[in-house]
């Protein structure tokens, strides 16, 4: 009788590869610690020296070899980075190609400090840049920072406040001087932190949005848009920051769900005793009411349409009661007050219907004279006072808790006030049409593709862009007014004050005086010019503009698709006639392990710099690069820990490779390694099976990875390399290579193994370098061979020889090894114990399996002298464990070699009795009608599943016990 174990058996617990466990046999603390097989003596290797070890780099202390360090030292990352930069590797060169790959870095705020969003974009862009650099393309990653008007002004105002100084205590020039001083002192913080992430930018081309040349670009853009009639001035409703006293963009307004109050107020119908009840969250804006609206299909109020209502607390001011289908009958009372000066929806409704617009608010958030007796009160104080007086006069009905969607300033946190204000605007519709066509015609590709719909929807429904800000820090609007004349009708647009004065003299006479508009331009205006202003525009003859524009890739978060990406597309087409980049790659947000957005309130913010200190830059980069474009990524300590282990695995693999290279003086050994040609089919096919397999798999991997890189499928790239390196190379080939490296004689086999180890490992480092630049460069510099920095080494060649038949053969070999390993684990065979085996296979399979007898013995811990190959089962098959590895490949392991049969039978008998008791208890619960009827459904289902599992285990244990008992009888 034989016990058959197939690869689907529940007893087979894979011992092959574990992504979270290092093989102790693979990476020993001792130099060479061969496994002592009873019939397989391996001599210890002498201490090795290496052919070439990055002479210049190592001598100056930049790099550390795995020979000299137990693990990769994260503190060396900055040394490596400084070496790359000092060697000029970040600068584009046209030595190997002429088609440049150009990325403009999304300029972080100069006030910024590194967060995971920065880590995401830096990692993804650096992957693209390093890959294309290795592919031989002239590669430019152009970095820079944004002057961040509001954010920077806030920071400096707080700094001045700590000195007891208000901004208004200083002149504009004095204040901006202080801001520049702050920028010079602290503005490089974010840049240095981005470098810490490994960003291989050309820092010699670093730009700042207030640089002189970029400022000229901004002025030129304003003038050109104005000349075409696309810039105009007018009073419209904008988002207003009362604290900063400036308009803010939509992007700088964040909406948060907050507890608030819904106030129910009586509006009497003029000339009648009836009244309408209005439910509002902002009663203080009633002074700006110009109408009361109801849904025309709301039967409760249809009789009042066309009549007048009296606005409370306004001394009898009348407003019309109108019908509008957009009024929600189910919200509040179904009656809507229209305050177009303080609500965006009301504003557009009023403009559509031709209603007047009343503003009741000053720019500092206090009520103005329109509010009568409430004039001068803060908006929130006015709300309290007004409600109190409404209660006194009987016009207050009730107030109730209500969750509000509150607009808050992204910068200062204060509640934003919709306010009518005179501003400068850009007419967007004609610009948007061209940007829409660019995607339609395939001139611009947005990834992931689903964001095209969002892009198209926004551009198809675009509103004019408010570009003026009431700040002192930023690009001053290039408009000058004539003293004594109407500002909206008489103004001069010019490049500078001298040109403005000259134009004013020509138009208004020599005696006129002029003054510049005090406002600055929205920060996004200068950012919209970023891809070409940084390259020299408006000078189309600038060398960088001619070489590198249009750029190739724009990578950024999907949350600024409208506010930045779309505007760059519009401005690029408008000013250069060309889409500014060919591709837009949009990444998602990084969330915590529970999928929550990171916030200081939740206390779940992960600091990239702290993460780097604990896990290393490479582990952080690898972790956040495995997501999918446009998808949010959950970041956890577990993932970081696993990828730190991956860094260690690479390091230890490098140590193994280095320790098993020939001595530097062994010229013949190095000649043999050099003669191994892996780009020739005949040479690869002549390799022994494990070597041919791993080289074939590597060549398949190179093609897969290169294709995924070209498609920007970075998550696929990372996973494919990880799986190959850990499972195929480290867990299988490095183990198999020991059969060549640790045996006496067979020098050719040893040389082949050394050549394959070096070849595969070098190519893995190349493929992985864009993701994990530091550890791969450190290892590369330690490897023997002609020395060239990994960052600028050529990308691996594609379409190299691979042999599917050899891959299939080795997969059979792996299946056999796994089956034997699993059988050993099931029978608790001691790791050091060598067992016999009979391998039964067809003649073809037998040939390639028997050729790798030593490897099989090493990986399966078999007694080399007692491995037998045959085409039929052995005579003692009924006393052996029978394994079916694959079709046409079986193994018989003598049971007596693995266990003490009598002791094992006794152990299983006791185990079976215990299992039976547990099973009987589960069955008894299920037979209890009371339990089945009253217990929760999921509890009953769980008991049924446990019973079924226990029954299966009992059956398998009985089979094993029967097999053991039959073996005892046979032996007797």
């Amino acid at each position: 009788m034989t016990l058959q174990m197939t690869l689907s058996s529940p007893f087979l617990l894979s011992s092959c590869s574990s992504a979270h466990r290092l093989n102790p046999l693979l990476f020993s603390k001792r130099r060479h610690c061969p496994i002592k097989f009873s019939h397989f003596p391996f001599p210890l290797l002498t201490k090795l020296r290496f052919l070439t070890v990055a002479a210049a780099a190592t001598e100056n202390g930049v790099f550390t070899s795995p020979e000299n360090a137990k693990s990769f030292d994260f503190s060396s990352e900055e040394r490596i980075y400084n070496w790359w930069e000092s060697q000029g590797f970040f600068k584009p060169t046209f030595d190997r190609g002429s088609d440049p790959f150009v990325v403009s870095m999304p300029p972080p705020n100069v006030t910024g400090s590194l967060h995971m969003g920065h880590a995401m974009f830096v990692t993804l862009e650096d992957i693209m840049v390093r890959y294309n650099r290795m592919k031989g393309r002239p590669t430019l990653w152009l970095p820079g920072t944004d002057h961040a008007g509001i954010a920077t002004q806030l920071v400096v105002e707080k700094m001045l406040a700590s000195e007891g100084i208000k901004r208004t205590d200083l002149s504009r020039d004095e204040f901006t001087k202080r801001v520049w001083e702050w920028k010079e002192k602290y503005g490089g913080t974010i840049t240095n932190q981005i470098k810490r992430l490994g960003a291989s930018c050309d820092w010699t081309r670093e730009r700042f949005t207030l640089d002189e040349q970029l400022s000229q670009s901004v002025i030129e853009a304003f003038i050109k848009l104005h000349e075409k009639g696309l810039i105009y001035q007018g009073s419209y409703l904008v988002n207003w920051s009362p604290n900063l006293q400036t308009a803010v963009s939509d992007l700088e307004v964040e909406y948060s769900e907050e507890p608030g109050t819904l106030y129910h107020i009586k509006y009497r119908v003029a000339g009648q005793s009836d009244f309408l009840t209005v439910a509002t969250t902002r009663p203080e804006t009633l002074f700006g009411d110009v109408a009361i609206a109801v849904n025309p299909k709301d039967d409760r109020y249809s009789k009042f349409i066309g009549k007048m209502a009296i606005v409370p607390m306004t001394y009898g001011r009348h407003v019309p009661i109108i019908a509008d289908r957009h009024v929600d009958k189910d919200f509040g009372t179904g009656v809507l007050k229209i305050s177009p000066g303080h609500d965006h929806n009301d504003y557009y409704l009023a403009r559509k219907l031709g209603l007047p617009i009343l503003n009741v608010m000053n720019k500092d958030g206090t009520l103005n004279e329109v509010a009568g007796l409430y004039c001068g009160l803060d908006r929130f104080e006015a709300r309290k006072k007004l409600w109190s007086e409404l209660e006194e006069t009987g016009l207050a009905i009730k107030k109730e808790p209500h969750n509000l969607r509150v607009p808050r300033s992204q910068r200062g946190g204060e509640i934003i006030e919709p306010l009518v204000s005179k501003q400068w605007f850009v007419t967007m519709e004609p610009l948007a049409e061209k940007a829409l066509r660019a995607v339609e015609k395939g001139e611009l590709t947005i990834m992931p593709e689903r964001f095209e719909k969002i892009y198209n929807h926004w551009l198809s429904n675009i509103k004019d862009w408010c570009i003026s800000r009431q700040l002192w820090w930023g690009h001053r609007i290039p408009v000058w007014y004539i003293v004594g004349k109407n500002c909206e009708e008489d103004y001069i647009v010019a490049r500078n004050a001298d040109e403005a004065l000259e134009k004013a003299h020509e138009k208004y006479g020599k005696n006129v005086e002029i003054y510049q508009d005090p406002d600055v331009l929205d920060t996004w205006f200068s950012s919209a010019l970023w891809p070409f202003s940084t390259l020299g525009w408006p000078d189309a003859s600038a060398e960088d503009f001619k070489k590198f524009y249009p750029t190739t890739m724009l990578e950024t978060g999907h949350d600024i698709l409208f506010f930045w990406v779309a505007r760059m597309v519009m401005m690029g087409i408008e000013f250069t006639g060309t889409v500014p980049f060919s591709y837009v790659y949009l990444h998602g947000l990084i969330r915590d392990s529970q999928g929550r957005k990171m916030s200081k309130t939740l206390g779940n913010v992960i600091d990239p710099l702290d993460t780097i200190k604990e896990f290393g830059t490479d582990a952080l980069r690898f972790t956040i690069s495995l997501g999918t474009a446009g998808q949010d990524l959950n970041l956890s300590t577990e993932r970081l820990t696993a990828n730190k282990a991956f860094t260690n695995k690479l390091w230890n693999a490098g140590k193994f490779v280095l320790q098993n290279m020939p001595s530097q003086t062994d010229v013949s050994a190095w000649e043999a390694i050099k003669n191994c040609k892996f780009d020739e089919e005949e040479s690869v096919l002549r390799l022994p099976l494990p070597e041919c397999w791993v080289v074939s798999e590597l060549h398949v991997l190179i093609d897969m990875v290169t294709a995924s890189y070209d498609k920007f499928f970075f998550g696929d790239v990372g996973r494919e390399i990880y799986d190959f390196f850990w499972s195929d190379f480290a867990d299988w080939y490095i183990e198999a290579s020991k059969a060549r490296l640790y045996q006496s004689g067979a020098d050719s086999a040893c040389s082949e193994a050394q050549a394959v180890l070096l070849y595969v490992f070098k190519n893995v480092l190349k493929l992985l370098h864009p993701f994990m630049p530091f550890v791969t460069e450190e290892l590369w510099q330690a490897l023997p061979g002609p020395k060239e920095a990994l960052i600028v080494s050529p990308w691996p060649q594609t379409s190299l020889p691979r042999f599917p038949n050899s891959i299939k053969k080795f997969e059979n070999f792996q299946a056999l090894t796994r089956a034997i390993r699993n059988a050993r684990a099931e029978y608790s065979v001691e790791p050091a114990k060598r067992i016999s085996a009979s391998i039964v296979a067809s003649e073809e399979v037998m040939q390639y399996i028997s050729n790798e007898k030593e490897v099989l013995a090493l990986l399966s811990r078999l007694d080399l002298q007692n491995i037998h190959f045959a085409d039929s089962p052995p005579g003692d098959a009924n006393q052996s464990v029978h394994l079916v590895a694959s079709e046409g490949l079986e193994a018989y392991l003598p049971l007596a070699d693995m266990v003490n049969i009598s002791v094992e039978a006794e152990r299983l008998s006791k185990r079976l009795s215990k299992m039976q008791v547990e099973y009987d208890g589960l069955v008894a619960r299920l037979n209890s009608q009371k339990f089945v009827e009253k217990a929760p459904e999921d509890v009953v289902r769980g008991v049924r599943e446990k019973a079924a599992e226990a029954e299966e285990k009992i059956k398998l244990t009985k089979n094993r016990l029967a097999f053991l008992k039959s073996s005892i009888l046979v032996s007797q």
Side-chain angles (χ1 to χ4, degrees):
M1 175 183 179
T2 62
L3 175 63
Q4 296 212 4
M5 297 176 69
T6 66
L7 291 180
S8 61
S9 169
F11 283 125
L12 299 181
L13 307 174
S14 174
S15 61
C16 172
S17 66
S18 168
H20 304 289
R21 183 182 68 248
L22 293 179
N23 189 329
L25 295 174
L26 179 57
F27 302 124
S28 171
K29 289 184 179 179
R30 293 165 57 192
R31 262 260 175 131
H32 294 292
C33 190
I35 307 164
K36 293 184 179 179
F37 291 83
S38 55
H39 301 288
F40 201 168
F42 295 139
L44 288 173
L45 298 182
T46 59
K47 188 169 182 176
L48 301 174
R49 290 162 293 165
F50 310 116
L51 186 63
T52 310
V53 188
T58 304
E59 285 170 11
N60 65 26
V62 176
F63 296 98
T64 304
S65 169
E67 271 289 281
N68 304 322
K70 182 180 178 181
S71 61
F72 179 55
D73 183 3
F74 304 148
S75 67
S76 65
E77 292 174 350
E78 290 185 79
R79 292 199 305 274
I80 296 170
Y81 187 89
N82 293 336
W83 180 73
W84 282 329
E85 190 174 7
S86 69
Q87 299 299 307
F89 294 143
F90 299 162
K91 297 178 182 178
T93 65
F94 287 80
D95 297 344
R96 290 190 286 157
S98 58
D99 178 25
F101 181 84
V102 185
V103 179
S104 297
M105 175 185 286
N109 289 352
V110 72
T111 59
S113 184
L114 198 68
H115 57 67
M116 278 299 172
H118 296 124
M120 174 71 92
F121 89 69
V122 169
T123 296
L124 292 174
E125 290 173 31
D126 198 41
I127 287 172
M128 300 177 194
V129 166
R130 288 178 184 269
Y131 168 67
N132 282 280
R133 185 185 289 122
M134 293 175 76
K135 290 278 283 185
R137 296 179 69 176
T139 304
L140 173 60
W141 186 10
L142 199 148
T145 48
D146 192 288
H147 65 277
I150 291 177
T152 306
Q153 184 157 315
L154 265 176
V155 168
V156 176
E157 284 193 32
K158 287 179 181 177
M159 180 189 73
L160 291 172
S162 68
E163 302 173 16
I165 303 172
K166 294 182 180 179
R167 171 171 61 96
T168 51
D169 294 338
L170 304 175
S171 68
R172 184 177 191 133
D173 289 342
E174 288 171 337
F175 177 77
T176 53
K177 181 183 177 183
R178 293 295 295 267
V179 181
W180 276 109
E181 288 172 356
W182 180 92
K183 191 266 180 187
E184 293 304 314
K185 187 174 181 179
Y186 300 106
T189 300
I190 187 68
T191 294
N192 292 329
Q193 291 174 339
I194 284 174
K195 288 182 177 182
R196 193 67 190 83
L197 287 165
S200 58
C201 308
D202 182 357
W203 294 105
T204 64
R205 286 178 164 88
E206 184 179 4
R207 300 289 184 260
F208 178 53
T209 47
L210 281 178
D211 285 347
E212 184 178 351
Q213 190 268 312
L214 271 69
S215 295
Q216 291 175 358
S217 301
V218 169
I219 292 170
E220 196 65 30
F222 185 97
I223 291 172
K224 288 182 179 296
L225 289 173
H226 187 268
E227 287 174 347
K228 291 188 70 171
L230 294 175
I231 282 184
Y232 64 92
Q233 188 182 37
S235 294
Y236 298 96
L237 193 73
V238 296
N239 295 310
W240 185 261
S241 168
N243 183 40
L244 289 168
Q245 294 197 33
T246 179
V248 295
S249 74
D250 293 338
L251 184 63
E252 290 156 347
V253 178
E254 292 183 339
Y255 290 88
S256 60
E257 292 291 328
E258 300 178 19
T261 304
L262 193 62
Y263 300 87
H264 293 252
I265 304 171
K266 288 182 181 179
Y267 279 63
R268 291 195 176 92
V269 179
Q272 297 183 16
S273 59
D274 296 311
F275 63 85
L276 298 177
T277 301
V278 170
T280 179
T281 60
R282 304 185 64 207
E284 71 277 7
T285 62
L286 64 78
F287 299 107
D289 289 353
V290 297
I292 298 296
V294 297
N295 192 295
K297 294 184 179 180
D298 193 334
D299 295 336
R300 294 174 295 174
Y301 307 119
S302 57
K303 64 181 179 179
F304 299 118
I305 297 172
K307 299 184 182 298
M308 302 293 284
I310 302 171
V311 181
M313 312 305 289
T314 61
Y315 302 103
R317 184 163 66 84
H318 288 34
V319 294
I321 301 171
I322 62 174
D324 190 271
R325 62 186 179 85
H326 293 103
V327 176
D328 185 351
K329 294 190 294 182
D330 300 321
F331 175 76
T333 61
V335 181
L336 182 69
K337 66 191 226 34
I338 308 298
S339 311
H342 301 280
D343 181 274
H344 289 284
N345 291 327
D346 291 0
Y347 178 76
Y348 292 114
L349 179 62
R351 292 190 65 184
K352 181 181 75 173
L353 300 176
L355 296 170
I357 294 172
L358 276 178
N359 173 30
V360 305
M361 202 84 61
N362 295 313
K363 291 184 176 181
D364 62 357
T366 60
L367 271 60
N368 62 24
E369 63 279 358
V370 176
L373 294 176
Y374 297 86
C375 178
L377 288 178
D378 174 79
R379 50 185 170 158
F380 302 117
E381 291 176 7
R383 182 181 300 175
K384 293 178 184 177
K385 180 177 171 60
L386 176 62
W387 181 251
S388 175
E389 294 186 359
L390 285 169
E391 287 180 319
E392 290 177 8
T393 56
L395 295 176
I397 297 176
K398 65 176 180 176
K399 63 179 182 179
E400 58 188 6
H402 179 74
N403 283 337
L404 307 178
R405 190 165 177 262
V406 180
R408 289 191 177 273
S409 168
Q410 187 185 59
R411 304 303 175 193
E414 66 173 328
I415 295 178
I416 289 297
E417 184 67 42
L419 198 68
V420 174
S421 175
K422 187 174 74 172
Q423 305 288 341
W424 288 93
F425 295 85
V426 176
T427 303
M428 300 301 287
E429 193 172 336
L431 302 175
E433 288 175 6
K434 297 175 185 176
L436 281 165
R437 284 200 298 272
V439 172
E440 289 171 10
K441 291 157 62 176
E443 296 170 354
L444 176 64
T445 301
I446 298 175
M447 299 173 288
E449 188 178 352
R450 69 177 185 276
F451 283 101
E452 280 188 17
K453 292 182 180 178
I454 300 171
Y455 173 91
N456 291 339
H457 177 76
W458 187 73
L459 287 175
S460 300
N461 298 276
I462 200 164
K463 299 180 178 68
D464 288 354
W465 176 14
C466 173
I467 58 170
S468 48
R469 299 289 179 266
Q470 290 65 52
L471 303 171
W472 282 359
W473 172 247
H475 294 100
R476 192 89 172 261
I477 289 179
V479 170
W480 281 259
Y481 301 110
I482 314 302
V483 174
K485 292 193 176 290
N486 187 306
C487 293
E488 293 189 21
E489 296 178 4
D490 298 285
Y491 60 84
I492 303 292
V493 177
R495 290 169 179 80
N496 52 56
D498 291 340
E499 182 182 313
L501 186 58
E502 185 179 338
K503 287 184 175 181
H505 286 167
E506 290 177 5
K507 188 173 181 180
Y508 300 102
K510 294 292 183 181
N511 296 325
V512 298
E513 295 181 20
I514 63 172
Y515 61 96
Q516 190 172 359
D517 193 307
D519 291 352
V520 298
L521 287 163
D522 179 13
T523 302
W524 294 102
F525 189 88
S526 53
S527 298
L529 315 177
W530 186 251
F532 46 96
S533 64
T534 51
L535 295 173
W537 186 88
D539 181 6
S541 64
E543 198 64 27
D544 276 0
F545 187 78
K546 289 192 294 183
K547 283 183 179 178
F548 300 115
Y549 189 81
T551 66
T552 313
M553 168 65 68
L554 189 283
E555 190 284 331
T556 190
H558 64 70
D559 53 331
I560 55 174
L561 174 61
F562 316 136
F563 306 103
W564 188 43
V565 179
R567 285 171 178 166
M568 282 189 288
V569 175
M570 289 186 278
M571 294 301 186
I573 296 172
E574 175 65 23
F575 296 126
T576 71
T578 308
V579 177
F581 27 74
S582 302
Y583 301 94
V584 173
Y585 183 103
L586 300 170
H587 66 249
L589 298 175
I590 296 185
R591 299 181 177 274
D592 70 6
S593 57
Q594 300 176 45
R596 300 175 302 175
K597 189 173 181 179
M598 292 185 187
S599 72
K600 292 179 181 178
T601 305
L602 291 174
N604 62 347
V605 175
I606 301 176
D607 188 315
L609 296 177
D610 292 341
T611 305
I612 286 171
K613 288 176 186 175
E614 184 176 356
F615 300 99
T617 304
D618 290 319
L620 173 61
R621 287 172 57 118
F622 194 75
T623 302
I624 62 180
S625 61
L626 294 184
T628 304
Q631 297 290 335
D632 292 350
L633 177 74
N634 294 357
L635 184 63
S636 66
T637 302
E638 290 75 20
R639 288 187 178 187
L640 291 164
T641 301
N643 290 323
K644 181 181 178 181
F646 182 42
T647 307
N648 290 334
K649 188 83 166 178
L650 282 166
W651 189 257
N652 288 327
K655 183 174 295 190
F656 179 87
V657 172
L658 285 167
Q659 288 174 339
N660 288 285
M661 291 298 107
S663 166
Q664 182 178 349
T665 57
D666 194 343
V667 177
S668 61
W670 281 108
E671 194 63 33
I673 290 174
K674 186 179 177 182
N675 287 335
C676 290
K677 305 294 183 185
F678 300 107
D679 57 350
E680 298 174 359
E681 286 197 6
E682 291 183 6
S683 298
V684 176
L685 194 56
R686 279 199 301 268
L687 292 171
L689 179 60
E691 282 70 24
C692 185
W693 164 75
V694 77
V695 169
S696 293
E697 289 281 37
L698 172 70
H699 292 169
V700 171
L701 175 74
I702 291 171
D703 287 0
M704 289 171 57
V705 162
T706 303
S708 293
Y709 267 117
D710 289 337
K711 295 174 184 175
F712 309 105
F713 293 168
F714 302 122
D716 291 348
V717 171
R719 284 183 286 272
E720 287 161 1
I721 301 172
Y722 182 99
D723 290 344
F724 171 82
F725 169 77
W726 200 302
S727 299
D728 293 346
F729 182 65
D731 282 359
W732 280 100
Y733 183 68
I734 282 183
E735 288 295 302
S737 72
K738 293 177 182 179
R740 325 281 194 219
L741 300 170
Y742 293 173
Q743 64 179 326
S744 57
D747 288 342
S748 62
C750 181
S751 295
E752 287 171 335
Q754 289 169 328
V756 168
L757 281 170
L758 194 57
Y759 174 72
V760 175
F761 191 60
K762 277 191 164 186
N763 277 284
V764 166
L765 294 182
K766 285 190 174 189
L767 297 176
L768 196 55
H769 177 74
F771 284 77
M772 306 177 78
F774 293 108
V775 68
T776 54
E777 185 73 77
E778 185 99 297
L779 287 166
W780 179 266
Q781 295 295 334
L783 294 175
K787 202 49 58 191
E788 178 182 33
L790 179 57
I791 188 176
V792 290
S793 65
W795 188 254
Q797 185 181 340
T798 54
S799 302
L800 290 167
R802 79 285 310 273
F803 296 96
N805 193 40
S806 295
I807 293 174
K808 178 63 179 174
K809 287 177 180 179
F810 194 76
E811 286 173 351
N812 281 344
F813 182 91
Q814 288 174 304
L816 176 61
T817 303
R818 286 194 187 98
I820 296 172
R821 285 176 172 177
N822 289 332
R824 290 177 62 102
E826 175 59 25
Y827 283 91
S828 304
V829 181
E830 294 180 3
K833 185 178 177 63
R834 308 300 149 201
I835 61 176
S836 305
S838 294
I839 311 301
V840 178
S842 62
E843 183 178 350
E844 179 195 1
V845 175
M846 187 67 68
Q847 182 177 358
Y848 65 78
I849 296 292
S850 61
N851 284 345
E852 297 303 332
K853 182 179 179 180
E854 291 81 2
V855 177
L856 181 64
L858 174 64
L859 298 183
S860 304
R861 299 197 175 88
L862 301 178
D863 182 348
L864 184 61
Q865 303 306 317
N866 284 299
I867 303 176
H868 307 287
F869 297 92
D871 57 4
S872 60
D876 60 351
N878 60 346
Q879 298 180 56
S880 301
V881 176
H882 179 206
L883 309 176
V884 179
S886 61
E887 188 177 349
L889 179 59
E890 303 172 28
Y892 291 85
L893 309 180
L895 192 61
D897 264 18
M898 297 196 291
V899 295
N900 183 316
I901 299 176
S902 297
V903 173
E904 180 67 6
E906 184 178 351
R907 187 186 72 82
L908 281 181
S909 294
K910 291 179 180 178
R911 182 179 170 190
L912 184 60
S913 297
K914 185 178 180 181
M915 290 167 64
Q916 188 67 49
V917 169
E918 292 176 356
Y919 174 70
D920 291 343
L922 293 170
V923 171
R925 291 182 74 186
L926 292 173
N927 288 336
S928 167
Q929 187 174 355
K930 184 178 179 181
F931 170 74
V932 173
E933 290 178 354
K934 293 189 176 182
E937 185 179 342
D938 58 330
V939 172
V940 176
R941 183 169 59 251
V943 172
R944 283 202 178 98
E945 290 172 356
K946 286 180 181 179
E949 185 181 346
E951 186 178 19
E952 180 66 19
K953 286 181 179 178
I954 288 171
K955 180 180 178 182
L956 292 170
T957 305
K958 283 181 176 178
N959 289 342
R960 272 191 65 189
L961 187 59
F963 171 52
L964 290 172
K965 288 180 177 178
S966 67
S967 298
I968 293 173
L969 291 173
V970 170
S971 63
Q972 292 173 347

